[in-house]
């Protein structure tokens, strides 16, 4: 799970590192889940959407965890 929701600034170099991380995780058999990508982030890295094709992407961490089958209870 890679959550970038706390990232307020991103440049193309940081975007490239994120894409490399996702690719390396896939190569070693880990299915990465990316959460918290804001629209302005996707615009900073032109091929962002194409490079993340096939990767699970959710708007936030809670949504991703629910999609993976986790449930939340308040005490």
């Amino acid at each position: 799970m890679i959550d970038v929701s706390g990232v307020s600034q991103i440049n193309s170099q940081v975007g490239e590192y994120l894409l490399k991380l996702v690719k390396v995780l896939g190569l070693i058999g880990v299915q990465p889940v990316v959460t918290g990508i804001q629209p302005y982030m996707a615009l900073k890295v032109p091929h962002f959407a194409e490079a993340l094709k096939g990767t699970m992407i959710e708007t936030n961490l809670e949504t991703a965890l629910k999609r993976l089958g986790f449930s939340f209870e308040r005490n």
Side-chain angles (χ1 to χ4, degrees), residues 13-62:
Q13 186 177 15
V14 173
E16 291 297 327
Y17 284 127
L18 176 62
L19 295 177
K20 286 179 184 179
L21 176 62
V22 168
K23 184 176 181 178
V24 168
L25 288 172
L27 288 173
I28 62 171
V30 175
Q31 183 180 3
V33 178
V34 180
T35 65
I37 295 176
Q38 300 298 318
Y40 71 88
M41 291 179 184
L43 294 173
K44 290 278 188 175
V45 183
H47 58 283
F48 212 65
E50 183 64 32
L52 290 176
K53 195 174 236 175
T55 302
M56 183 176 159
I57 301 171
E58 288 294 334
T59 55
N60 58 49
L61 188 57
E62 181 180 0

